[in-house]
Amino acid sequence: MRPDNPPDVHAGYFQLQDHLAMDFRLTEPPGDTPSDNPDSPLFGMLGELQVLEHESQHLLRQIGERDRVLAACLKTFSKRIDLLAQATALQLTSDLGSPMPVVISEAGLSFTTDTPLEPGQWIALRLLLSNVTGMATLARIADCRQDPASGHYTIQVSFHHSETQRQLLARYIVQRQAQDIRAAKQNERTST
């Protein structure tokens, strides 16, 4: 029997309501070490590209202070890589379908589905976080509740991901939060 108060996989973390293209499938429990989902190398590649882009930004600024021509050349190469990442992400989006409403945090994800999933089961999860950022990870079902009105199931999953994936997700959440704050301020200015 389930407790009346379901576990909250987001407890202690900032929660972001979003719309993400995603898919999942049941899988075996992972080994001891969190890692990328080996079944989704393109998603892993998109995530790694985003991490590398973030890590190289301060180096590019330092180069720009000393050699503007070299910095401009490196920025052009970076834009070319971004275009390839966007093309890959567009292809992946068409494979995943339309974005769906979710609640996401560094620790987990909540979403609705027509199919119940048993707490304790594991899923291989693929998420497209932005037009250039994908993440493939394993997640454990923490809770499954049916909404009597709609018949849909609200699923909460707890991520089992690497530190790199956690950092990628944390940056995404902070960036989206900043976008939401800017949009709210802009709406406030235009409505007054």
Side-chain angles (χ1 to χ4, degrees), residues 133-149:
T133 306
M135 188 173 101
T137 191
L138 299 177
R140 185 175 175 270
I141 307 300
D143 192 50
C144 176
R145 300 274 171 163
Q146 186 174 26
D147 177 6

Side-chain angles (χ1 to χ4, degrees), residues 9-27:
V9 297
H10 308 292
Y13 293 91
F14 180 79
Q15 300 174 36
L16 175 69
Q17 293 185 3
D18 205 348
H19 283 78
L20 300 177
M22 62 173 273
D23 70 2
F24 64 90
R25 65 173 175 73
L26 291 175
T27 191

Side-chain angles (χ1 to χ4, degrees), residues 125-174:
L125 180 65
R126 297 187 312 164
L127 299 166
L128 196 58
L129 300 173
S130 71
N131 63 343
V132 293
T133 306
M135 188 173 101
T137 191
L138 299 177
R140 185 175 175 270
I141 307 300
D143 192 50
C144 176
R145 300 274 171 163
Q146 186 174 26
D147 177 6
S150 69
H152 296 291
Y153 295 88
T154 299
I155 308 293
Q156 282 194 45
V157 300
S158 176
F159 292 136
H160 184 78
H161 50 58
S162 66
E163 180 62 19
T164 301
Q165 289 173 316
R166 189 199 61 73
Q167 290 175 7
L168 179 70
L169 190 54
R171 271 196 296 277
Y172 171 74
I173 290 169
V174 167

Side-chain angles (χ1 to χ4, degrees), residues 86-97:
Q86 287 176 9
T88 302
L90 281 173
Q91 178 62 43
L92 293 173
T93 302
S94 66
D95 293 346
L96 295 178

Side-chain angles (χ1 to χ4, degrees), residues 3-190:
D4 289 336
N5 295 324
D8 185 2
V9 297
H10 308 292
Y13 293 91
F14 180 79
Q15 300 174 36
L16 175 69
Q17 293 185 3
D18 205 348
H19 283 78
L20 300 177
M22 62 173 273
D23 70 2
F24 64 90
R25 65 173 175 73
L26 291 175
T27 191
E28 295 298 316
D32 293 335
T33 306
S35 63
D36 294 343
N37 182 348
D39 295 340
S40 300
L42 289 178
F43 276 88
M45 181 193 69
L46 287 175
E48 286 296 320
L49 284 173
Q50 196 67 20
V51 168
L52 291 171
E53 174 69 20
H54 179 75
E55 290 174 351
S56 68
Q57 287 303 308
H58 76 282
L59 296 173
L60 193 54
R61 282 190 293 276
Q62 289 176 351
I63 291 170
E65 291 171 1
R66 286 186 239 146
D67 189 337
R68 291 183 184 194
V69 174
L70 178 59
C73 181
L74 292 173
K75 285 180 183 178
T76 300
F77 287 138
S78 180
K79 287 179 184 177
R80 292 169 67 186
I81 293 169
D82 283 346
L83 288 173
L84 291 172
Q86 287 176 9
T88 302
L90 281 173
Q91 178 62 43
L92 293 173
T93 302
S94 66
D95 293 346
L96 295 178
S98 300
M100 59 188 288
V102 300
V103 177
I104 191 166
S105 70
E106 286 180 51
L109 178 75
S110 300
F111 60 95
T112 58
T113 182
D114 296 331
T115 309
L117 297 170
E118 282 298 315
Q121 287 182 308
W122 287 86
I123 59 171
L125 180 65
R126 297 187 312 164
L127 299 166
L128 196 58
L129 300 173
S130 71
N131 63 343
V132 293
T133 306
M135 188 173 101
T137 191
L138 299 177
R140 185 175 175 270
I141 307 300
D143 192 50
C144 176
R145 300 274 171 163
Q146 186 174 26
D147 177 6
S150 69
H152 296 291
Y153 295 88
T154 299
I155 308 293
Q156 282 194 45
V157 300
S158 176
F159 292 136
H160 184 78
H161 50 58
S162 66
E163 180 62 19
T164 301
Q165 289 173 316
R166 189 199 61 73
Q167 290 175 7
L168 179 70
L169 190 54
R171 271 196 296 277
Y172 171 74
I173 290 169
V174 167
Q175 289 170 349
R176 278 302 314 271
Q177 184 182 20
Q179 286 174 348
D180 291 348
I181 291 169
R182 281 193 300 273
K185 285 181 181 179
Q186 183 64 27
N187 287 340
E188 187 178 291
R189 278 188 236 140
T190 57

